[in-house]
Amino acid sequence: MPQTFTRKSLAASIVFASAVSVGVTATAETPENAPLEEVVVTSQLREATQLETPTSVSVLDEKVIEARGAHNLEQLLNLAPNVNFSSGASRGRFVQIRGIGERSQFIDPVNPSVGLLIDGIDFTGLGLAASTLDIDQVEILRGPQGTVYGANALAGLITMTSNAPTDTPFARVSAEVAEYGSHTVSAVSSGPLSDKLGYRIAMQNQQSDGYIKNRFLDRDDTNNIDESVVRGKLRYQASDDLQLDFSLLHLDIDNGYDVFTLDNSRNTLSDAPGWDRQDTLAGAVSSLWTGSDLFSVKSVLSVASSDTEYGYDEDWVYADFHPWGYTSTDNYLRDRDNVSADVRFISTEQTRLFGDSTRWVAGLYLRDEEESLERNATFTSQFDTQNTALYGQFNTALTDRLTLITGLRFEQRTADYADSLAVDSSTDEDLWGGNVTLEFSAADETLIYATLSRGYKAGGVNGRIISASESNAQIGSDVFTFDTEHMLNYELGLKGSWLEDRLQAQVAAFYQDRSDVQAKQSIFDPDNFSFDDFLANAAGGNTTGLEIETSYQASNKLRLFATAGWLNAEFEDFISTSHVDARNDNTGEVSPLNLDGRDLAHAPNYQFFTGAEYALTANLTARLELEGKDDFYFSNSHSAKSTTYELVNARLTYRGDDWDLSLWGRNLTDETIYTRGFYFSNQFGNNPANNYAPEAYYQLGEPRVAGVSASYTF
């Protein structure tokens, strides 16, 4: 990176010059004037190509995942505009889209803002499950998915689809070695078992010591990665009209968690390092039936059981470090079981409505989830939810070029919460969302669309707050429950493919109007010397933004690609009663702080990703990437912020007939990245060396890492 550029000027130059999408990997010299590959979006009610889908969506296929060297979804998120994530764990488990999304989970149950589906299985809120092993495609839909998915997709939806069984025998083994004791081995096998039955199985183990040195314990593996994944699929062609797909996923994750230090370095002093664990067994049965002239039926039945454990050294240091003897650990055992079913009826040519002008989709969705929590063997809670939804969509051709799309979802949700502090609460809500879209085909390869969509996020209860803190006057009964949040999303977009399909681009401009915004707050409890989180409703919020993606096959050797997002996400009329910056350090009391007009947490004003791939020879390809992000607040309860950064990544790949070998490096300039941050006032400082002065503390992202990857196909 040239030293004459400042971070701000470099970011602005890249965004301005690149125009901006995620590229498709070139594995060798491409034929002259060859078109870019067509990408199909599967997460909408009807499958369509990416350029025919009237919504802002990023599609990352297997080639992009390989070129990125990604082992988990978190390593792909920076490729999509206006998508962010937060750590506070071994990985970035929580996703924000257009500034909306959870950033952590501790005591209270969470009603997610961003849905996560893997082969039709609901893993919302379980980001550790998002392994990219043998994944065919990742789709990131931005904006409320009030018709498609409902209550857990106010901000957007992420779907991951693994590869299907192949018609011919196939096997591949892969290995990777990198710095910090990192090594990964994986294997995939696929093929037919009979004329009607095919299989695919993939296995992977990834291990790394991590980037932390624990100086007190003299260990370099207290923030390690140890993840094993097994993924299997069967495809049964029962008849010409019926296809059945069976999916199975097993995860065994035993990661460490030891990241926060008093000097914001990679050298910790904890005597009880934490962990971030997950054991999951999940499966799904998908079917497609086309045996009627009236409609086809598409269905998914899924079951998932996940046991998680999240713990950490709460004081970050060893015993007796604090002169007054403070020491503490925290641990959360959370078990989640869910069952979901989605049955969808899709019209045929024979059942079009209104003079054959209208195609239709109608569906039924059921979801039952049970979540139990045990904290430090002293607190337990149970949170059970049931969702039932009816949804439908009409696609009406008004003219040869103009189509009206109308969708509606009605959802009934019940939630029961109880804990060991005698809090018992039940809620029952009727929710609805939908969309109205006009799309205009300006030419054969150009689509213009305008959308009004409505999303929703269920209300809930801050159960523990009241019972544990009845004597604490800072917390009142007004925060015992919080209301349902709603959002109206106005979006205008353009998509197209030009220059004989060598240039593809999509642009979306949007405005989001939120009411009863659910905003996380925290309160200091001087009796227990700890912070408690709770959710409260801000009066409102608004977000304005722009998203651009483009890919260009400049020549038979050179491919250019880029994405960019601009975002202005703010609160409206929000008075925070728990803001750390407004705390009186002598009394611990908090003066209300007006956050009207302040940016939402984890909502950077801009971010970008751009790069190029060049075929040096028929077998050798070089890839260079530059990605960057503006600074952003870590929380609504304090003013600690990340830093602006730009990262440079590179990859050199040689492909033989049956094998490939890659040399790669990430963050080549060794930029310091903050992925999570906290601020402590004098009332709750953490460092006696500076007399517990107010300070911000940060979790650091990945430093410079280099490695070698290879695979062999049988």
Side-chain angles (χ1 to χ4, degrees):
M1 186 184 300
Q3 297 300 313
T4 54
F5 280 86
T6 65
R7 291 180 178 177
K8 294 281 188 179
S9 65
L10 177 59
S13 300
I14 292 297
V15 172
F16 178 78
S18 298
V20 254
S21 174
V22 175
V24 179
T25 305
T27 58
E29 293 187 17
T30 304
E32 196 70 42
N33 297 323
L36 294 170
E37 296 181 10
E38 188 173 68
V39 178
V40 176
V41 176
T42 62
S43 52
Q44 294 288 275
L45 296 183
R46 285 182 178 273
E47 291 188 0
T49 68
Q50 184 179 17
L51 298 180
E52 295 173 339
T53 303
T55 191
S56 183
V57 55
S58 295
V59 181
L60 313 175
D61 65 13
E62 187 176 23
K63 294 178 181 179
V64 174
I65 295 171
E66 180 184 357
R68 183 71 168 176
H71 295 296
N72 187 275
L73 175 66
E74 68 166 358
Q75 295 170 298
L76 295 171
L77 294 175
N78 282 349
L79 276 63
N82 289 331
V83 177
N84 202 2
F85 64 93
S86 64
S87 292
S90 63
R91 289 194 180 277
R93 298 192 299 171
F94 296 91
V95 180
Q96 304 84 44
I97 296 179
R98 295 178 175 176
I100 304 171
E102 287 61 51
R103 301 178 298 280
S104 61
Q105 182 178 14
F106 295 98
I107 284 289
D108 289 314
V110 166
N111 300 329
S113 301
V114 178
L116 173 62
L117 298 179
I118 304 174
D119 284 334
I121 306 170
D122 192 340
F123 283 104
T124 301
L126 293 171
L128 281 182
S131 167
T132 59
L133 169 66
D134 203 35
I135 289 294
D136 175 54
Q137 189 161 286
V138 177
E139 300 173 17
I140 303 175
L141 292 94
R142 292 174 290 271
Q145 304 301 308
T147 303
V148 176
Y149 193 56
N152 288 345
L154 175 76
L157 176 66
I158 300 174
T159 66
M160 304 177 69
T161 306
S162 63
N163 283 299
T166 55
D167 295 330
T168 57
F170 164 82
R172 183 179 64 238
V173 293
S174 303
E176 179 179 282
V177 178
E179 295 178 273
Y180 301 98
S182 300
H183 54 275
T184 304
V185 292
S186 62
V188 180
S189 178
S190 180
L193 295 173
S194 69
D195 291 341
K196 293 187 176 183
L197 183 64
Y199 83 96
R200 190 177 186 104
I201 186 169
M203 297 175 287
Q204 178 175 281
N205 177 257
Q206 181 186 6
Q207 297 191 32
S208 173
D209 291 337
Y211 319 118
I212 295 296
K213 170 69 174 179
N214 188 308
R215 291 185 297 172
F216 179 75
L217 298 177
D218 193 25
R219 289 172 52 189
D220 60 4
D221 62 350
T222 55
N223 197 54
N224 69 306
I225 294 291
D226 185 355
E227 300 179 349
S228 296
V229 184
V230 178
R231 194 189 305 278
K233 267 192 172 182
L234 290 174
R235 171 162 291 179
Y236 180 54
Q237 195 69 45
S239 67
D240 292 341
D241 303 326
L242 179 61
Q243 176 181 293
L244 299 174
D245 286 300
F246 302 86
S247 302
L248 181 69
L249 175 64
H250 180 242
L251 300 168
D252 183 4
I253 297 173
D254 189 11
N255 296 343
Y257 177 46
D258 182 28
V259 295
F260 283 98
T261 66
L262 298 178
D263 59 356
N264 290 320
S265 71
R266 300 186 190 276
N267 300 303
T268 64
L269 296 173
S270 56
D271 57 358
W275 42 76
D276 190 14
R277 298 166 175 157
Q278 182 172 329
D279 192 332
T280 291
L281 182 62
V285 180
S286 304
S287 68
L288 176 61
W289 180 73
T290 57
S292 171
D293 292 335
L294 301 178
F295 52 79
S296 58
V297 181
K298 195 173 185 179
S299 66
V300 180
L301 172 64
S302 72
V303 179
S305 178
S306 297
D307 299 336
T308 67
E309 184 172 11
Y310 172 69
Y312 53 94
D313 190 328
E314 197 168 26
D315 59 280
W316 305 350
V317 290
Y318 51 86
D320 300 325
F321 181 87
H322 294 279
W324 45 283
Y326 171 64
T327 182
S328 178
T329 59
D330 208 357
N331 193 64
Y332 299 82
L333 289 166
R334 182 174 270 111
D335 299 338
R336 181 188 297 182
D337 299 304
N338 71 57
V339 179
S340 66
D342 194 347
V343 182
R344 189 173 301 170
F345 300 87
I346 305 170
S347 66
T348 64
E349 294 300 316
Q350 288 79 5
T351 53
R352 287 177 176 251
L353 303 175
F354 312 126
D356 292 334
S357 67
T358 302
R359 299 179 297 161
W360 55 267
V361 176
L364 170 66
Y365 175 78
L366 304 171
R367 180 174 181 266
D368 189 297
E369 183 169 281
E370 298 178 356
E371 181 180 302
S372 61
L373 169 68
E374 178 183 316
R375 182 191 186 191
N376 296 329
T378 60
F379 172 81
T380 61
S381 69
Q382 184 71 36
F383 183 57
D384 301 335
T385 58
Q386 296 82 38
N387 296 63
T388 303
L390 294 172
Y391 62 88
Q393 181 171 287
F394 290 146
N395 289 49
T396 302
L398 302 178
T399 69
D400 290 342
R401 293 185 177 272
L402 187 63
T403 300
L404 173 66
I405 302 173
T406 54
L408 183 65
R409 185 185 188 96
F410 177 79
E411 187 162 352
Q412 202 277 332
R413 181 182 187 271
T414 61
D416 300 298
Y417 174 86
D419 64 31
S420 57
L421 295 173
V423 175
D424 196 331
S425 174
S426 297
T427 59
D428 191 336
E429 294 185 86
D430 293 332
L431 307 162
W432 70 272
N435 66 284
V436 178
T437 300
L438 270 176
E439 60 175 39
F440 178 69
S441 299
D444 291 340
E445 302 294 338
T446 303
L447 176 71
I448 301 172
Y449 69 90
T451 293
L452 169 62
S453 55
R454 186 182 194 266
Y456 52 89
K457 181 180 177 183
V461 58
N462 291 308
R464 178 177 178 270
I465 295 295
I466 297 301
S467 294
S469 308
E470 287 176 346
S471 63
N472 188 347
Q474 298 179 63
I475 302 176
S477 59
D478 57 326
V479 299
F480 177 60
T481 61
F482 52 91
D483 295 330
T484 301
E485 178 179 345
H486 299 96
M487 178 167 68
L488 289 176
N489 176 71
Y490 306 85
E491 186 168 313
L492 182 65
L494 168 69
K495 298 186 176 189
S497 181
W498 305 281
L499 303 179
E500 298 178 324
D501 292 329
R502 291 185 296 112
L503 172 64
Q504 294 179 355
Q506 55 178 352
V507 181
F510 60 89
Y511 174 78
Q512 297 180 331
D513 185 9
R514 303 166 66 192
S515 59
D516 293 318
V517 174
Q518 295 177 13
K520 176 170 280 192
Q521 298 285 275
S522 62
I523 205 74
F524 176 67
D525 187 342
D527 295 331
N528 299 320
F529 210 74
S530 64
F531 282 96
D532 285 323
D533 291 331
F534 67 96
L535 283 171
N537 292 104
N542 63 79
T543 303
T544 305
L546 182 69
E547 292 152 359
I548 310 173
E549 303 190 33
T550 190
S551 185
Y552 177 48
Q553 187 69 49
S555 71
N556 63 324
K557 292 185 176 183
L558 177 64
R559 187 188 304 273
L560 305 174
F561 45 87
T563 72
W566 172 78
L567 190 69
N568 184 32
E570 299 178 344
F571 284 113
E572 285 183 353
D573 302 323
F574 182 31
I575 306 297
S576 172
T577 59
S578 66
H579 204 277
V580 173
D581 297 350
R583 185 178 307 283
N584 187 308
D585 290 328
N586 295 319
T587 66
E589 295 180 355
V590 177
S591 302
L593 188 69
N594 188 355
L595 297 183
D596 181 37
R598 195 182 107 147
D599 286 346
L600 273 61
H602 276 259
N605 291 135
Y606 71 81
Q607 59 188 98
F608 66 89
F609 167 79
T610 187
E613 277 190 331
Y614 187 76
L616 300 170
T617 69
N619 299 95
L620 187 62
T621 302
R623 179 181 176 100
L624 184 66
E625 301 174 350
L626 178 65
E627 61 184 273
K629 192 176 296 183
D630 193 17
D631 58 18
F632 54 85
Y633 290 106
F634 283 116
S635 173
N636 302 319
S637 299
H638 56 73
S639 297
K641 300 181 75 172
S642 71
T643 58
T644 301
Y645 69 79
E646 293 89 28
L647 306 181
V648 178
N649 313 312
R651 193 176 189 93
L652 185 66
T653 301
Y654 184 89
R655 298 185 185 277
D657 293 337
D658 301 314
W659 59 276
D660 62 74
L661 178 69
S662 296
L663 305 177
W664 53 265
R666 293 192 294 263
N667 189 8
L668 294 180
T669 57
D670 203 20
E671 285 277 317
T672 298
I673 313 163
Y674 297 155
T675 59
R676 196 80 175 108
F678 301 94
Y679 178 84
F680 294 105
S681 69
N682 281 343
Q683 187 69 18
F684 192 67
N686 215 31
N687 190 356
N690 62 7
N691 199 29
Y692 298 105
E695 284 187 303
Y697 300 100
Y698 304 102
Q699 178 174 344
L700 303 183
E702 184 181 63
R704 177 171 51 223
V705 179
V708 180
S709 304
S711 67
Y712 183 81
T713 302
F714 298 90

